[in-house]
Amino acid sequence: MRVFDREKGFAMGRYRSFDETRAMDGAIACFRERGYHASSMRDLEREMGLKSSSLYNAFGDKKTLFLRALEAYMDASPRRRIALLDRSADPLAAIECFLGSIVLVSAADPCGCLLVNSAASPVALDKEIRAAVSGGLGELEAALLRALERAVTQGSLAPEAPVRDLARVLLGAVVSIRVLSRTSPGEPWLRSIADGALAQLRASSPAALAS
Amino acid sequence: MRVFDREKGFAMGRYRSFDETRAMDGAIACFRERGYHASSMRDLEREMGLKSSSLYNAFGDKKTLFLRALEAYMDASPRRRIALLDRSADPLAAIECFLGSIVLVSAADPCGCLLVNSAASPVALDKEIRAAVSGGLGELEAALLRALERAVTQGSLAPEAPVRDLARVLLGAVVSIRVLSRTSPGEPWLRSIADGALAQLRASSPAALAS
DNA sequence: GAAGATCTGGAGCGCATGTTTCAGAATCAA
DNA sequence: TTGATTCTGAAACATGCGCTCCAGATCTTC
C-alpha cells in the first residue's frame, strides 16, 4: 500500500526506517532455527530488529510473515539452485554439483532447509502453508525432472530412463540429507546418500541400459 | 516409586485409576500429529484422558513426557519392524517388505513417524532429545546394516557390496518417504522412492557386480 | 505553514501456556 | 480404627503468547 501509493505518485506519510530485506533475513533465520511454533513474535522482533507495531504493519500477522519468509527463502536459495540447473550445459554434472553442495551446506549448517523443515512440521497442517510447501517442493522436483529430460535429449541418459521416478529419488535424497543433517551425522554419512542417488542416475546411462 | 514400593511389599497409597499404556498412546498420538511445541499440556491432558496433577505425577514435565512417548513409540513401531528384519530368513525380501509397508502406512496416515518428525523439529535442539532421536535413527540404521550383512553372508548380495552406504541410503529413503508423505503426494509417488532404493540393492547383487 | 497519511516506540490487552498447590478420596500396614 | 502414603480433581499461579492501540515523529501535498 505504501509502496503502491508512492510509486504512483500519491505518496504520503513517513518512510520506513528499516531495511525490509534485512528484516526478512532475520525472519528466515529465526524460522529456520526454531521453526514456526517455537519462534515467538518476541524472537522475531529481536532477530528482525523491529518493534511489534512495525512488524505487524509491514508484514502482517505471524502466519503471513511465515509465508513471506518462506517465499523469500525460496528466492534466496532453492530457486537459485534451480536456475543453476536450468542454465547448465551438462545437466547430469549440474545435478551432481547440486547434491554435493547440499551435502556440504547441510553438514556445515545444522539448521537445515526452511522448506524441508516446514514440510515435516505441524505448521504444514495449515492449508495455505501446506500449499506453499508443496509448491516449493514441486518446483524442485520439476526442475530436477527438466534437467533429467535434457540429459536424455543430450544422450547422457538413456531414452528409456525412468526420469520421473529418478526426479523423485533425487528430491528424496535432498530431503533426507537435510533432515538427517539435523542430528549431525557428519559429512561422509550424508555423502553416502547423495552418492547413492547419483549411482542410480548412472544406472540409467545409455551404456548401462544397453548391456 | 509407587510401583517400586508396591512390588517390594511396602505398598501404600491410592492406586492409579487410569491405564498408563493407554495414556501413553494418547501422548504419542498428540505428539505425532502436532509435534512437541504445538502440543499444549491441555491437548495432552485431553488426549491422554488425565488431569494435569495425575499427568505430572505419573510422567513428569512436558519434556520428560515427550522422551517417554518417544521411547514408547520406538517400542510400538520401529523396534517391531527391526525385529521382523532380524528374524527374517530372507533379509532382502524383508527389507523390501519393510519399505513397502512404510509406503503404505505413510500414504494412509499423513501424521508421519514420531521419530522422523522429531529429527526435523526444533525440539531436537535439546541435547537429551537429540540424543534420543539420534539413538532411534541409529537403531534403524544398524538393523538395516545387519540385514544387509546377512544378505552378503547368504550370497544374495555380493561380498563387495557397499553395505554401510546402502544402509544409509535405505534409512534416507525411509526418512524422505515419511517427510514427503506429509504433503500427501500419493502412494505411487512415495513408491518411486522406495523402488529407487531397492533398485540400488539389486545393483549390488552378485549377478550385477559380476558383469 | 496546515492537512493528511504513514511509521515508530512503548505500553498493555486478553488469553493460553507449563506448572504447582491442596483438600479430599483411596489404599495399605499396624 | 488409625496413621502413612499415594492418587485425583479443581483451582489457581506466574509467565509468555500473539496482537492492538495510540501519541508523537516523519513524510508529501496543498
Side-chain angles (χ1 to χ4, degrees):
Chain A
M1 25 194 189
R2 180 187 71 87
V3 173
F4 181 79
D5 288 354
R6 289 222 164 108
E7 278 174 352
K8 284 221 166 191
F10 291 99
M12 285 190 184
R14 182 173 170 176
Y15 289 145
R16 283 181 186 163
S17 59
F18 62 92
D19 182 338
E20 303 187 25
T21 305
R22 205 169 286 274
M24 275 294 5
D25 289 345
I28 290 172
C30 194
F31 282 132
R32 225 159 64 91
E33 184 182 342
R34 287 185 277 279
Y36 181 84
H37 294 287
S39 293
S40 74
M41 291 306 289
R42 266 93 179 167
D43 292 334
L44 289 161
E45 290 169 27
R46 188 168 26 78
E47 292 219 36
M48 300 174 74
L50 297 185
K51 302 295 179 178
S52 62
S53 55
S54 300
L55 202 167
Y56 275 88
N57 179 51
F59 301 104
D61 64 8
K62 190 181 181 184
K63 178 180 153 181
T64 307
L65 172 61
F66 181 81
L67 284 168
R68 290 217 211 177
L70 183 56
E71 186 65 21
Y73 175 80
M74 284 295 300
D75 283 337
S77 184
R79 288 189 184 125
R80 295 204 180 178
R81 297 186 188 279
I82 288 175
L84 287 180
L85 279 181
D86 283 332
R87 282 182 205 136
S88 72
D90 182 344
L92 288 193
I95 288 175
E96 193 163 341
C97 188
F98 175 94
L99 275 187
S101 167
I102 296 280
V103 167
L104 286 178
V105 167
S106 299
D109 176 8
C111 276
C113 162
L114 181 57
L115 183 65
V116 173
N117 293 352
S118 302
S121 156
V123 78
L125 292 175
D126 178 275
K127 213 178 157 187
E128 284 183 75
I129 292 177
R130 188 171 57 245
V133 170
S134 294
L137 292 170
E139 286 183 46
L140 256 181
E141 183 190 352
L144 291 164
L145 182 56
R146 281 197 303 275
L148 292 171
E149 283 167 343
R150 278 176 55 220
V152 170
T153 313
Q154 295 186 6
S156 48
L157 229 48
E160 63 269 38
V163 286
R164 219 182 50 181
D165 293 326
L166 287 174
R168 292 172 182 174
V169 165
L170 289 169
L171 180 64
V174 172
V175 167
S176 55
I177 288 170
R178 303 230 82 156
V179 169
L180 289 167
S181 73
R182 311 234 343 174
T183 66
S184 303
E187 189 197 310
W189 202 108
L190 299 175
R191 191 167 298 279
S192 293
I193 291 187
D195 288 344
L198 295 175
Q200 279 199 257
L201 292 196
R202 272 177 236 114
S204 287
S205 69
L209 286 189
S211 64
Chain B
M1 28 201 200
R2 180 188 71 87
V3 173
F4 180 79
D5 289 352
R6 289 222 164 109
E7 278 173 351
K8 283 223 164 187
F10 290 98
M12 284 190 184
R14 181 172 171 176
Y15 289 145
R16 284 184 184 160
S17 60
F18 62 92
D19 181 338
E20 303 188 25
T21 305
R22 204 169 286 274
M24 267 314 346
D25 288 346
I28 290 172
C30 195
F31 283 131
R32 225 161 62 92
E33 185 183 341
R34 286 185 277 279
Y36 182 83
H37 294 286
S39 292
S40 75
M41 291 305 289
R42 264 93 182 166
D43 291 335
L44 289 160
E45 290 168 28
R46 188 168 26 80
E47 292 220 35
M48 299 174 75
L50 298 184
K51 301 296 178 180
S52 62
S53 56
S54 300
L55 202 167
Y56 274 87
N57 179 51
F59 301 104
D61 65 6
K62 190 181 181 184
K63 178 180 154 181
T64 307
L65 172 61
F66 181 81
L67 283 168
R68 291 218 210 176
L70 184 55
E71 186 64 21
Y73 176 80
M74 284 295 299
D75 284 336
S77 183
R79 288 188 184 125
R80 295 205 178 177
R81 296 186 188 279
I82 288 175
L84 287 180
L85 279 181
D86 283 331
R87 283 183 204 134
S88 72
D90 182 345
L92 288 194
I95 289 175
E96 193 163 343
C97 187
F98 175 93
L99 276 188
S101 166
I102 295 280
V103 166
L104 286 178
V105 167
S106 300
D109 176 9
C111 278
C113 161
L114 181 57
L115 183 64
V116 172
N117 293 351
S118 301
S121 156
V123 78
L125 292 176
D126 178 275
K127 213 176 156 187
E128 284 183 75
I129 292 177
R130 188 172 57 245
V133 169
S134 293
L137 293 169
E139 286 184 46
L140 257 180
E141 184 189 352
L144 290 164
L145 182 55
R146 281 196 303 276
L148 292 171
E149 282 166 344
R150 280 176 54 221
V152 169
T153 313
Q154 295 185 6
S156 48
L157 229 48
E160 64 270 37
V163 286
R164 218 182 49 178
D165 292 327
L166 287 174
R168 293 172 182 175
V169 165
L170 289 170
L171 180 64
V174 172
V175 167
S176 55
I177 288 170
R178 301 230 82 154
V179 168
L180 288 168
S181 73
R182 312 234 342 174
T183 65
S184 303
E187 189 197 310
W189 202 108
L190 299 175
R191 192 166 297 279
S192 293
I193 291 187
D195 288 344
L198 295 174
Q200 281 199 255
L201 292 195
R202 273 176 236 115
S204 289
S205 69
L209 286 189
S211 62

